[in-house]
Each structure stands twice: as structure tokens, then as C-alpha cells.
Amino acid sequence: VESLLLQAEVMDLKAANTGQAEGVVLDAHVEKGRGVVAEVLVKWGQISIGDCVVIGSSYGKVKAMQDSYGRSVQVALPSQAVRLLGLRHMPPPSSSGGSFLGGSQGQSQELITVAGEARARQIADRRNRVDLLRRTVEQEQQQKLRQDALLALQEEQQRVLDASSTVSTSKTKAPPISAAMLPAVAAVPQLNVVLKADGVGPLEALRQLVLSVTSRTSDVLVRILSAAVGDVNPSDIERVSTTANPGSSKVLAVPLVLAFNVGLADSSTRATANELDVRVVRDNVIYRLEDELIATMEAHMPKEKISHLEGSAKVLKVFRLNDKKSTVVAGMSVVSGHMKNSGGHHVFRVLRSSKGSSEATVLLDDFNGHSDLKRFKDTVHEVESGNECGLSLEEFSDFQEGDEVQCVRVEWKAKSLQIATSRDDKWTQSATARVSKGATSPQPTAKSKLAKL
């Protein structure tokens, strides 16, 4: 501080304490009985009771001011921090997308005084139209990116279908891939979220936290329907519950309300949430809300497929039986590991190497149908390495000498969005348990306010 004062004195840094005022908005919140309270640091000029001010797309006439000690003041001069009352509605965060102090481009929301309420309304309305246009453009860009991704997936699926139909018309008798076997294009689960907080600063921090978590995966589409200051009310519950799903009606939509350091507006809010089956998560620790969000997303994410190669065999000779089904049996020698009958977690793969090529073509991938594994004339469950055996697969008869048959154990593992931190994992585990059981989250025992000026 002494160095700053010395530099200011040497550079003769001064600010005019008269005329139109400019200031930086530190935070804003809503207080019962007082309305919108903005915390402002004056940079230039002076703010007096009765002045008309504009903050972003919000405006109003100053009704009262308090200093950092809660004492009423009539005039705020440069370098003075005051709490200002009289705004008509909550000012938004900076247009750069960050909070009041230090947006993503280092910008901050500013206050200016203007001559007359009509002029203040005109400026605020113009800024509001600009913000609305910017949000519309951002939504259109996001929608276009999603449509492009879906179109690319559809084209890739069509190429797979075309390739499958080409293979099915050749000598191979492998069953062609059908459209039903491919993953659904628009079947990505969707999480509709409403954010509530006790101030604009905490609200923006919560919004940035949600965006950070959702950027870790594309398996769940998270839509922030609204973000507002104040208690959770029935309209928030109805909004998150009744919002239509864009695109396919088959998309699973999950409603969720994340509330930081606020309560329920009235008793009807909880009744509405129970009736519409909407989870309302309230807490005064923001990282607990993050854990609840992660647990909800993980509960609706598709599981990750993990394959373990357990054995490999080489086809030595192909036999065709004269039974009713014209069964084709591959006589094999187990080269490594062991071979087991398909079913449960075990599947078969058939690979064929072309002459002059080191890469093998997959003729049959993850076959889980009926299989018959024989050792001599006896049906066995498992054949170890170094032994010979016979294998027949239902609906597949295109074995050739030299083919490789693999026995693969498949596991489905739940994906995780958690990032290793020093925080206690007990809350994360309990959050996951609550989501899996469909229980509501515990409510905070105390409603501590954030530190003010």
C-alpha cells in the first residue's frame, strides 16, 4: 500500500471529485425489504442521493448509500466504496462473460451517472437489446455446432451400413449390421439446470463451475435454462420440468435445480418439486453443488466398454457337418491364454489377414450368441493354451484356414468426471449414492452470508 501511495504521489495521479461519476461494480445481491443492493467503488466524479445511474442493462435512482461500516452517506467520492440502493432490477455480470470483477477478458461491469431517468432507461434498453442479440447469436452457434456433429455421425453410420451391405453380398455369411445395432444419433441424455444464488457474484461463479464440469464430456448435454438471484420458487421448478427437448422426443431430459446459499420461497415450492419429480439441491458450499452435478451427470452417462483379450487360437481346418443346420466347425489350436464359450461377459472375434498385408480384417466382432466349444467329442466350457479344439458359432460359417479366433472378456465401467482434489471424498460418495437412490440432498444447517465490503 505504501508503494502504491508513493507511486500515486510521484505520478501525480488524481481524480475529479465533481461532475458525472464512474465506478466499478464489485458485487450485487437482493436483500429482503431493501431490494437490489449494488456494491460500488467510485473511480471518477461523485455519486449523490437522487442521481440516476446505469449498470449494464439495469438502471435506477439512488435512494440510499452506505459506506463499508454500514453508515449512511449522502455523497460518494473517488476511491470510496459504498452500498447503493435504488436499482430497478438486478444488474447482469460483465458482457465478457465473467463475473463483476475480472471477466474472461479482464473487463468489469461499470456504473455511470446520467442526466435524468429517461436517459438512463434509454441506455439500459439499448444495452439490453445488444445483450439479447449476443445471446441469440451464441445459441445459434451452439445449435449449429450440434447439428454439424449429428450430421457427421449420421454420415459415418451410413458408411458403416454401406460397408456392411457390401460384405454381406460377398462370399462371407456374416450377418450384416443393421441400423438398430448402431448407437442412436440423438440419444444423448440432456440435463436441464436452473441456477439460483444469493448474489450475482456467487451466481456467476456457480455458472462458470457448471460450464467447467460440462466441458469434460459430450455424453451428457447440459442446458442452463436460467440463472437468477433469490430463493427457489415454484416457477423455477415448473420451468426446469416443462422445458421441451430440442430435436428428438426420445432424448432423456433430467431436471435439476442448483441453489447456492438460498432457501425455498415458500412451502408450495417443495410440494411442486415433489409433484413434478424435480431434484432441488441446496447448499452453502459451492463445491458440494459441483459434486451433486457430477453425480447426476455420471448417473446418466453411458458406460465405457473395456475389452480384455483372454485367449487366441488359429484355425487349422474347417469341417462341415451333415446335420440339419449344416454346421461349420473350425478346428483350432489354442495359441495363447484360454478359450471359453461365449455368453455372459465373454465374446468371440474372428480376424483374417490378407496376403502381403500385416493388418487383419475383423470378420466378426464381439459375437455373444450361441457357441459350441468341443474337445474331441465332448462339449467343454474352457480350453487351455497348447490344446486343440473345435468351435461352431450360430449364424457364422465363414471360417477359413489361418483365421485367428479371439476370446475376449468384456466389462462395462461407469465413466467418471471427477478430478483428483484434496477435498474429502466422503461427500462425493454420498452424493453419488443419493443420485442413484433418487433421494434429495441434505439442506445446509446454516445460511452464512458471503463477506461484504
Side-chain angles (χ1 to χ4, degrees):
V1 176
E2 293 179 356
S3 299
L4 290 176
L5 294 176
L6 178 60
Q7 289 292 332
E9 183 177 353
V10 171
M11 300 175 65
D12 195 25
L13 298 178
K14 297 180 180 179
N17 56 6
T18 58
Q20 182 181 10
E22 297 180 6
V24 177
V25 181
L26 305 178
D27 197 6
H29 59 277
V30 178
E31 294 185 6
K32 291 184 178 180
R34 305 179 72 186
V36 178
V37 179
E39 299 172 356
V40 180
L41 179 64
V42 183
K43 294 170 52 180
W44 192 272
Q46 66 176 19
I47 305 176
S48 304
I49 300 295
D51 285 349
C52 293
V53 297
V54 179
I55 303 177
S57 58
S58 177
Y59 72 98
K61 182 178 291 187
V62 179
K63 296 180 180 179
M65 289 188 295
Q66 294 179 338
D67 60 14
S68 56
Y69 296 99
R71 298 174 299 198
S72 297
V73 295
Q74 298 297 315
V75 177
L77 299 175
S79 75
Q80 187 174 359
V82 293
R83 293 189 182 95
L84 184 148
L85 284 70
L87 293 176
R88 290 180 175 267
H89 55 82
M90 179 67 62
S94 63
S95 59
S96 62
S99 58
F100 281 113
L101 284 180
S104 59
Q105 300 174 354
Q107 300 175 355
S108 59
Q109 193 67 283
E110 293 191 351
L111 171 146
I112 60 172
T113 58
V114 295
E117 194 167 359
R119 176 59 176 166
R121 185 187 304 108
Q122 181 183 9
I123 297 175
D125 290 344
R126 183 170 65 248
R127 291 179 175 179
N128 190 39
R129 289 193 297 268
V130 172
D131 289 342
L132 180 60
L133 179 61
R134 176 180 56 82
R135 290 193 298 269
T136 302
V137 171
E138 290 177 352
Q139 292 175 358
E140 291 178 351
Q141 291 176 345
Q142 293 177 358
Q143 184 68 16
K144 186 177 184 303
L145 291 175
R146 176 169 172 77
Q147 290 176 352
D148 292 344
L150 294 178
L151 181 61
L153 181 57
Q154 288 175 339
E155 293 176 351
E156 180 64 24
Q157 290 183 347
Q158 187 60 43
R159 282 195 293 268
V160 173
L161 290 173
D162 294 342
S164 174
S165 61
T166 302
V167 172
S168 63
T169 56
S170 63
K171 295 182 180 180
T172 180
K173 297 181 181 180
I177 301 176
S178 63
M181 298 170 64
L182 295 174
V185 174
V188 178
Q190 179 175 291
L191 184 62
N192 294 330
V193 181
V194 167
L195 306 179
K196 302 301 290 280
D198 62 342
V200 177
L203 181 65
E204 184 61 24
L206 180 60
R207 191 181 74 88
Q208 293 294 337
L209 187 66
V210 172
L211 294 178
S212 174
V213 172
T214 56
S215 65
R216 302 176 194 173
T217 180
S218 58
D219 292 328
V220 178
L221 175 63
V222 178
R223 298 176 63 220
I224 300 179
L225 303 181
S226 67
V229 173
D231 292 337
V232 181
N233 54 61
S235 63
D236 296 323
I237 306 299
E238 295 172 357
R239 179 183 296 109
V240 74
S241 175
T242 60
T243 300
N245 300 323
S248 173
S249 59
K250 298 180 180 180
V251 176
L252 172 64
V254 182
L256 179 66
V257 178
L258 297 178
F260 174 72
N261 212 26
V262 295
L264 303 178
D266 48 44
S267 58
S268 63
T269 304
R270 181 171 297 279
T272 304
N274 293 335
E275 179 182 355
L276 299 178
D277 195 21
V278 175
R279 290 188 67 238
V280 179
V281 183
R282 297 187 294 122
D283 210 293
N284 55 5
V285 179
I286 194 169
Y287 292 110
R288 291 180 180 174
L289 295 178
E290 178 190 20
D291 292 338
E292 293 285 352
L293 174 64
I294 290 176
T296 304
M297 293 177 63
E298 290 178 346
H300 297 89
M301 289 172 58
K303 293 185 177 181
E304 181 180 7
K305 181 180 178 181
I306 301 177
S307 300
H308 304 276
L309 180 62
E310 293 206 343
S312 176
K314 183 178 180 180
V315 178
L316 303 178
K317 193 172 184 62
V318 180
F319 303 93
R320 297 185 181 273
L321 304 183
N322 294 324
D323 55 6
K324 295 181 179 180
K325 298 183 180 180
S326 299
T327 306
V328 176
V329 179
M332 309 182 303
S333 174
V334 182
V335 178
S336 62
H338 55 263
M339 306 295 287
K340 287 185 176 182
N341 266 320
S342 61
H345 296 288
H346 290 84
V347 298
F348 283 114
R349 294 176 184 168
V350 180
L351 294 83
R352 180 172 301 163
S353 299
S354 303
K355 293 182 179 180
S357 175
S358 59
E359 296 184 359
T361 303
V362 179
L363 298 181
L364 186 65
D365 191 13
D366 292 358
F367 176 82
N368 195 32
H370 176 71
S371 65
D372 189 10
L373 186 65
K374 290 182 178 292
R375 173 84 172 136
F376 298 108
K377 294 184 179 181
D378 299 327
T379 298
V380 295
H381 177 69
E382 181 178 346
V383 179
E384 295 292 339
S385 174
N387 296 317
E388 294 183 352
C389 60
L391 175 68
S392 63
L393 302 178
E394 185 180 16
E395 297 182 0
F396 183 83
S397 58
D398 189 35
F399 289 110
Q400 290 185 8
E401 294 181 8
D403 288 349
E404 180 185 359
V405 180
Q406 295 180 347
C407 178
V408 180
R409 178 170 54 88
V410 177
E411 293 181 355
W412 295 94
K413 181 180 179 181
K415 295 182 179 180
S416 176
L417 297 176
Q418 289 286 355
I419 296 179
T421 63
S422 58
R423 292 188 282 124
D424 190 0
D425 290 335
K426 291 183 179 180
W427 176 269
T428 303
Q429 296 172 1
S430 62
T432 304
R434 284 193 299 275
V435 172
S436 61
K437 295 179 180 179
T440 58
S441 64
Q443 308 307 326
T445 56
K447 189 178 179 181
S448 59
K449 293 292 183 180
L450 298 179
K452 303 302 179 181
L453 288 176

